[in-house]
Amino acid sequence: MNFTEIALNRQSCRNYDPDRPVEQEKIDAILRSAILAPSACNGQPYHFTVCKNDIAKQVALATTGMGMNKFTENAPVMIVVSEKSYVKSAAFGAKIKGNDYRSIDIGITTAYLTAEATAQGLSTCILGWFDDQKIRKLCGIDEPVRLVISLGYANENDKLREKKRKAFDELVTVKE
Protein backbone atom coordinates (compact mmCIF):
# COMPACT_ATOMS: atom_id res chain seq x y z
CA MET A 1 0.00 0.00 0.00
CA ASN A 2 1.29 3.48 -0.78
CA PHE A 3 0.63 6.31 1.64
CA THR A 4 -2.49 7.59 -0.14
CA GLU A 5 -3.98 4.10 -0.04
CA ILE A 6 -3.20 3.90 3.67
CA ALA A 7 -4.85 7.29 4.24
CA LEU A 8 -7.93 6.24 2.27
CA ASN A 9 -8.24 2.92 4.13
CA ARG A 10 -7.51 4.06 7.68
CA GLN A 11 -10.59 4.78 9.74
CA SER A 12 -11.53 4.74 13.41
CA CYS A 13 -12.62 1.21 14.17
CA ARG A 14 -15.68 0.79 16.35
CA ASN A 15 -16.19 -2.93 15.81
CA TYR A 16 -13.26 -5.18 16.71
CA ASP A 17 -13.12 -8.95 16.33
CA PRO A 18 -12.60 -10.08 19.95
CA ASP A 19 -11.63 -13.60 18.86
CA ARG A 20 -8.70 -12.57 16.70
CA PRO A 21 -5.53 -11.76 18.65
CA VAL A 22 -2.92 -9.38 17.25
CA GLU A 23 0.41 -10.97 16.44
CA GLN A 24 3.34 -9.62 18.51
CA GLU A 25 5.43 -9.12 15.37
CA LYS A 26 2.78 -6.76 14.01
CA ILE A 27 2.66 -4.82 17.28
CA ASP A 28 6.46 -4.54 17.17
CA ALA A 29 6.40 -3.33 13.54
CA ILE A 30 3.80 -0.70 14.39
CA LEU A 31 5.83 0.60 17.33
CA ARG A 32 9.07 0.57 15.33
CA SER A 33 7.41 2.79 12.72
CA ALA A 34 5.98 5.08 15.41
CA ILE A 35 9.39 5.76 16.92
CA LEU A 36 10.69 6.83 13.50
CA ALA A 37 8.37 9.86 13.62
CA PRO A 38 10.05 13.26 13.71
CA SER A 39 9.96 15.19 16.98
CA ALA A 40 11.22 18.55 18.24
CA CYS A 41 14.99 18.30 18.74
CA ASN A 42 14.55 14.53 18.28
CA GLY A 43 13.40 14.47 21.90
CA GLN A 44 10.63 11.87 21.49
CA PRO A 45 8.72 13.07 24.58
CA TYR A 46 6.40 10.07 24.77
CA HIS A 47 6.23 6.49 25.92
CA PHE A 48 4.06 3.63 24.67
CA THR A 49 2.62 1.10 27.11
CA VAL A 50 1.18 -1.89 25.27
CA CYS A 51 -1.68 -3.53 27.16
CA LYS A 52 -2.94 -6.99 26.28
CA ASN A 53 -5.24 -9.57 27.83
CA ASP A 54 -6.81 -8.60 31.18
CA ILE A 55 -4.94 -5.29 31.47
CA ALA A 56 -6.23 -4.30 28.01
CA LYS A 57 -9.78 -4.97 29.21
CA GLN A 58 -9.19 -2.81 32.31
CA VAL A 59 -7.69 0.03 30.26
CA ALA A 60 -10.60 -0.24 27.81
CA LEU A 61 -13.01 0.06 30.74
CA ALA A 62 -11.16 3.24 31.81
CA THR A 63 -12.08 4.77 28.42
CA THR A 64 -15.84 4.19 28.76
CA GLY A 65 -16.93 6.85 31.22
CA MET A 66 -20.33 8.46 30.61
CA GLY A 67 -21.16 5.83 27.98
CA MET A 68 -18.25 6.65 25.67
CA ASN A 69 -16.08 4.19 23.72
CA LYS A 70 -18.07 1.04 24.58
CA PHE A 71 -16.59 -0.66 21.50
CA THR A 72 -13.16 -0.80 23.16
CA GLU A 73 -14.22 -3.81 25.24
CA ASN A 74 -13.56 -5.99 22.18
CA ALA A 75 -10.18 -4.50 21.27
CA PRO A 76 -7.48 -7.07 22.07
CA VAL A 77 -4.75 -4.42 22.47
CA MET A 78 -4.76 -0.98 24.03
CA ILE A 79 -1.73 1.26 23.58
CA VAL A 80 -1.36 4.00 26.18
CA VAL A 81 0.62 7.04 25.04
CA SER A 82 2.06 8.97 27.96
CA GLU A 83 3.92 12.26 27.92
CA LYS A 84 7.59 12.41 28.88
CA SER A 85 9.74 15.42 29.72
CA TYR A 86 11.19 17.66 27.05
CA VAL A 87 14.85 17.46 26.15
CA LYS A 88 16.52 20.75 27.18
CA SER A 89 16.65 22.29 23.70
CA ALA A 90 12.96 21.54 23.01
CA ALA A 91 11.98 22.85 26.46
CA PHE A 92 13.84 26.08 25.71
CA GLY A 93 12.17 26.44 22.30
CA ALA A 94 8.72 25.68 23.74
CA LYS A 95 9.16 28.36 26.38
CA ILE A 96 10.51 31.00 24.00
CA LYS A 97 7.99 30.32 21.23
CA GLY A 98 5.01 29.44 23.43
CA ASN A 99 4.42 26.23 21.52
CA ASP A 100 3.53 22.84 23.02
CA TYR A 101 5.94 20.65 21.07
CA ARG A 102 5.14 17.55 23.11
CA SER A 103 1.52 17.53 21.96
CA ILE A 104 2.63 18.03 18.38
CA ASP A 105 5.18 15.22 18.66
CA ILE A 106 2.62 12.86 20.21
CA GLY A 107 0.23 13.66 17.36
CA ILE A 108 2.87 12.90 14.74
CA THR A 109 3.96 9.61 16.30
CA THR A 110 0.32 8.58 16.66
CA ALA A 111 -0.23 9.26 12.96
CA TYR A 112 2.76 7.06 12.12
CA LEU A 113 1.49 4.34 14.47
CA THR A 114 -2.03 4.28 13.04
CA ALA A 115 -0.77 4.42 9.44
CA GLU A 116 1.53 1.43 10.00
CA ALA A 117 -1.30 -0.44 11.72
CA THR A 118 -3.40 0.06 8.60
CA ALA A 119 -0.51 -1.14 6.42
CA GLN A 120 -0.33 -4.26 8.64
CA GLY A 121 -4.04 -4.97 8.07
CA LEU A 122 -5.06 -3.82 11.55
CA SER A 123 -7.54 -1.24 12.73
CA THR A 124 -7.23 1.50 15.34
CA CYS A 125 -9.15 4.19 17.13
CA ILE A 126 -7.44 7.15 18.79
CA LEU A 127 -9.14 7.87 22.11
CA GLY A 128 -9.01 11.14 23.97
CA TRP A 129 -11.76 10.25 26.45
CA PHE A 130 -10.33 8.27 29.37
CA ASP A 131 -9.70 8.23 33.10
CA ASP A 132 -6.07 9.41 33.33
CA GLN A 133 -5.58 8.49 36.99
CA LYS A 134 -7.09 5.03 36.60
CA ILE A 135 -4.93 4.23 33.58
CA ARG A 136 -1.80 5.57 35.30
CA LYS A 137 -2.47 3.25 38.22
CA LEU A 138 -3.23 0.24 36.01
CA CYS A 139 -0.08 0.74 33.94
CA GLY A 140 2.29 2.04 36.61
CA ILE A 141 2.75 5.34 34.79
CA ASP A 142 3.82 8.55 36.55
CA GLU A 143 3.46 10.90 33.58
CA PRO A 144 0.19 12.20 32.10
CA VAL A 145 -1.63 9.91 29.71
CA ARG A 146 -2.27 11.85 26.51
CA LEU A 147 -3.93 9.29 24.24
CA VAL A 148 -5.10 5.71 24.25
CA ILE A 149 -5.17 3.78 20.99
CA SER A 150 -7.34 0.70 20.60
CA LEU A 151 -5.82 -1.85 18.23
CA GLY A 152 -7.07 -5.04 16.67
CA TYR A 153 -8.62 -6.65 13.64
CA ALA A 154 -11.92 -5.17 12.57
CA ASN A 155 -14.89 -7.50 12.37
CA GLU A 156 -15.45 -8.60 8.79
CA ASN A 157 -18.78 -6.71 8.73
CA ASP A 158 -17.00 -3.43 9.62
CA LYS A 159 -17.01 -1.92 6.14
CA LEU A 160 -14.90 1.02 4.97
CA ARG A 161 -16.93 4.20 5.35
CA GLU A 162 -16.93 7.06 2.88
CA LYS A 163 -14.59 9.81 4.07
CA LYS A 164 -16.35 13.10 4.67
CA ARG A 165 -13.87 15.93 4.56
CA LYS A 166 -13.96 19.65 3.95
CA ALA A 167 -13.30 20.82 0.40
CA PHE A 168 -9.66 21.11 -0.65
CA ASP A 169 -9.99 24.85 -1.33
CA GLU A 170 -11.42 25.41 2.14
CA LEU A 171 -8.34 23.87 3.74
CA VAL A 172 -5.55 24.90 1.35
CA THR A 173 -4.32 28.33 0.30
CA VAL A 174 -1.43 28.76 -2.12
CA LYS A 175 0.53 32.02 -2.07
CA GLU A 176 3.07 32.87 -4.76
Side-chain angles (χ1 to χ4, degrees), residues 17-176:
D17 182 344
D19 299 319
R20 193 166 175 199
V22 177
E23 302 86 344
Q24 187 61 48
E25 52 274 6
K26 287 190 176 188
I27 296 169
D28 292 345
I30 290 164
L31 294 168
R32 289 185 195 290
S33 289
I35 64 175
L36 291 174
S39 61
C41 302
N42 199 31
Q44 297 178 288
Y46 44 77
H47 183 83
F48 301 103
T49 302
V50 178
C51 304
K52 298 165 35 175
N53 303 314
D54 187 52
I55 191 76
K57 297 286 185 203
Q58 292 177 56
V59 169
L61 186 60
T63 70
T64 61
M66 296 179 68
M68 301 292 283
N69 304 321
K70 295 230 181 233
F71 60 90
T72 60
E73 69 184 2
N74 288 328
V77 178
M78 301 294 283
I79 300 174
V80 176
V81 185
S82 54
E83 181 181 281
K84 301 297 270 183
S85 298
Y86 280 122
V87 295
K88 288 181 182 179
S89 54
F92 178 74
K95 185 171 185 154
I96 296 297
K97 293 297 182 181
N99 211 343
D100 181 7
Y101 297 125
R102 287 180 293 201
S103 290
I104 295 166
D105 294 343
I106 289 169
I108 296 168
T109 196
T110 298
Y112 273 49
L113 187 152
T114 57
E116 182 62 32
T118 301
Q120 293 285 336
L122 294 162
S123 294
T124 57
C125 189
I126 303 165
L127 308 167
W129 184 278
F130 50 82
D131 184 329
D132 175 75
Q133 291 301 315
K134 187 179 234 179
I135 293 174
R136 283 193 203 196
K137 186 175 180 182
L138 287 167
C139 296
I141 298 171
D142 293 328
E143 296 86 5
V145 173
R146 292 298 178 215
L147 294 172
V148 177
I149 302 165
S150 57
L151 174 70
Y153 287 96
N155 264 323
E156 60 184 51
N157 63 352
D158 190 45
K159 302 299 179 200
L160 187 62
R161 299 179 298 274
E162 179 184 343
K163 296 217 181 278
K164 296 177 183 173
R165 300 294 189 262
K166 292 180 180 179
F168 184 86
D169 293 343
E170 188 177 344
L171 297 172
V172 178
T173 302
V174 177
K175 301 282 187 176
E176 295 186 42

